[in-house]
């Protein structure tokens, strides 16, 4: 098995020397924006209903994801629309439903990659009040992320975990309870740097899905683009569903090997 893999002539992606600094900069800007939103009480989503008891709390985690993702997108858009904002966020692009990322953020930042740096952000909502809510989210397919890193070794893919709590708040005018989703904590990770122990591979869908084992507890390690590609190759090949021959077929189709 290993002979088939190691005997290939690979297209080896080579990232820029200052990629780690660009990645760190993007994460620091995202986290600063979220902390400011929390500190200034811009972290609440109000859901009006005509239900006298408000939204059903025991099932709210099932509908929270789209609300939290929309909140994050609008927060970033508002900042990008503010000239000379303090975070150098200059452009925000919402992605389509089946894209790998939910939103693309573009920051003004000089590096060997240019005068701007783009971050593809996948927003994951998890409930503070439910231990297993969103604990092990799907991130992206093996084939798609492998292709993305071959096409652009400096591709920055950020997993943004937003933890929220939900409670009811009575509207004194109507007597009804409004639902309030409040974003209370956040974590941002560059997918490339998530430790191998914290990533799992689920072969059940298509070419398989990369997952975070427990998004509440993630450790990181620095690795380059080629090291990440080799790591997920090993996960694919060693899964119960795929073989090195399956991998080679994918590699030839996508031109990962020459």
């Amino acid at each position: 098995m290993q002979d088939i893999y190691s005997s290939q002539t690979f297209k080896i992606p080579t990232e820029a020397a200052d990629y780690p600094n660009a990645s760190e900069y993007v994460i620091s800007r995202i986290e600063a924006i979220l902390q400011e939103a929390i500190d200034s009480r811009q972290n609440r989503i109000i859901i009006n209903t005509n239900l006298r008891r408000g939204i059903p709390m025991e099932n709210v985690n099932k509908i929270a994801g789209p609300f939290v993702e929309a909140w994050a997108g609008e927060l970033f858009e508002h900042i990008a629309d503010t000239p000379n904002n303090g975070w150098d966020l200059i452009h925000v692009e919402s992605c389509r439903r089946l894209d790998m990322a939910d939103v693309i953020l573009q920051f003004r930042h000089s590096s060997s990659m240019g005068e701007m740096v783009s971050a593809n952000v996948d927003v994951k909502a998890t409930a503070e009040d439910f231990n297993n809510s969103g604990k092990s989210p799907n991130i992206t397919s093996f084939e798609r992320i492998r292709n993305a890193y071959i096409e652009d070794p400096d591709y920055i893919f950020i997993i943004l975990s937003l933890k929220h709590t939900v409670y009811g708040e009575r509207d004194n005018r109507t007597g009804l309870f409004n639902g309030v989703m409040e974003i209370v904590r956040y974590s941002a990770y560059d997918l490339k740097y998530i430790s191998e122990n914290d990533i799992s591979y689920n072969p059940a869908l298509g070419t398989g899905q990369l997952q975070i084992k427990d998004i509440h507890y993630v450790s990181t390690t620095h690795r380059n683009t080629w090291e990440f590609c080799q790591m997920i190759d090993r996960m694919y090949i060693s899964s119960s569903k795929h073989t090195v021959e399956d991998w080679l077929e994918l590699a030839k189709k996508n031109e990962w090997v020459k």
Side-chain angles (χ1 to χ4, degrees), residues 6-254:
S6 59
S7 65
Q8 302 305 312
T9 302
F10 289 89
K11 286 186 177 178
I12 298 178
T14 303
E15 66 185 40
D18 53 357
Y19 174 93
N21 290 334
S23 172
E24 183 179 354
Y25 174 82
V26 162
I27 288 176
S28 70
R29 296 295 84 194
I30 291 173
E31 291 183 337
I33 288 169
L34 292 167
Q35 188 60 54
E36 170 65 19
I38 292 173
D39 291 343
S40 61
R41 301 287 291 167
Q42 299 177 55
N43 58 331
R44 293 170 17 120
I45 304 167
I46 310 298
I47 304 173
N48 300 114
T49 75
N50 63 349
L51 300 174
R52 298 198 62 82
R53 297 178 182 176
I55 57 177
M57 294 299 181
E58 65 274 13
N59 292 313
V60 71
N61 59 306
K62 297 179 182 179
I63 64 169
F67 283 98
V68 173
E69 291 166 14
W71 171 85
E74 290 189 6
L75 173 67
F76 293 129
E77 287 172 0
H78 174 71
I79 291 172
D81 290 340
T82 303
N84 302 314
N85 64 78
W87 296 275
D88 291 326
L89 180 58
I90 58 176
H91 181 68
V92 175
E93 180 179 339
S94 295
C95 300
R96 294 171 297 182
R97 188 174 67 87
L98 296 179
D99 288 348
M100 283 200 298
D102 294 306
V103 63
I104 299 172
L105 308 181
Q106 199 167 57
F107 295 90
R108 185 179 292 106
H109 180 69
S110 295
S111 70
S112 62
M113 294 176 268
E115 295 302 311
M116 295 175 293
V117 60
S118 295
N120 298 265
V121 181
D122 186 14
V123 181
K124 300 299 181 186
T126 62
E128 184 85 342
D129 307 321
F130 297 87
N131 289 335
N132 293 321
S133 168
K135 177 183 175 182
S136 304
N138 286 332
I139 301 303
T140 186
S141 82
F142 162 73
E143 185 176 16
R144 290 182 78 181
I145 195 64
R146 185 70 159 79
N147 280 333
Y149 283 134
I150 291 296
E151 293 169 8
D152 180 7
D154 297 316
Y155 184 78
I156 298 178
F157 190 76
I158 302 296
I159 311 302
L160 176 58
S161 171
L162 295 178
K163 298 177 179 63
H164 58 84
T165 186
V166 183
Y167 52 91
E169 191 172 74
R170 184 181 291 277
D171 185 324
N172 292 327
R173 184 178 60 84
T174 65
L176 300 176
F177 276 91
N178 294 323
V180 180
M181 292 182 183
E182 187 170 343
I183 288 75
V184 293
R185 289 200 292 156
Y186 55 84
S187 300
Y189 309 100
D190 187 326
L191 175 62
K192 196 188 299 184
Y193 293 152
I194 295 178
S195 71
E196 187 167 356
N197 288 336
D198 291 317
I199 296 178
S200 61
Y201 170 79
N202 182 351
L205 300 173
T207 61
Q209 285 280 321
L210 298 185
Q211 297 176 322
I212 304 296
K213 290 181 181 177
D214 187 346
I215 202 165
H216 300 295
Y217 300 98
V218 175
S219 57
T220 59
T221 182
H222 276 260
R223 62 170 71 89
N224 61 37
T225 305
W226 176 228
E227 289 169 336
F228 182 86
C229 289
Q230 290 175 293
M231 181 188 76
I232 62 175
D233 283 349
R234 290 194 302 270
M235 290 180 173
Y236 177 92
I237 292 169
S238 62
S239 73
S240 59
K241 186 176 178 180
H242 302 297
T243 65
V244 69
E245 287 80 12
D246 295 327
W247 174 87
L248 185 57
E249 183 178 345
L250 267 183
K252 289 179 177 179
K253 183 187 81 170
N254 292 294

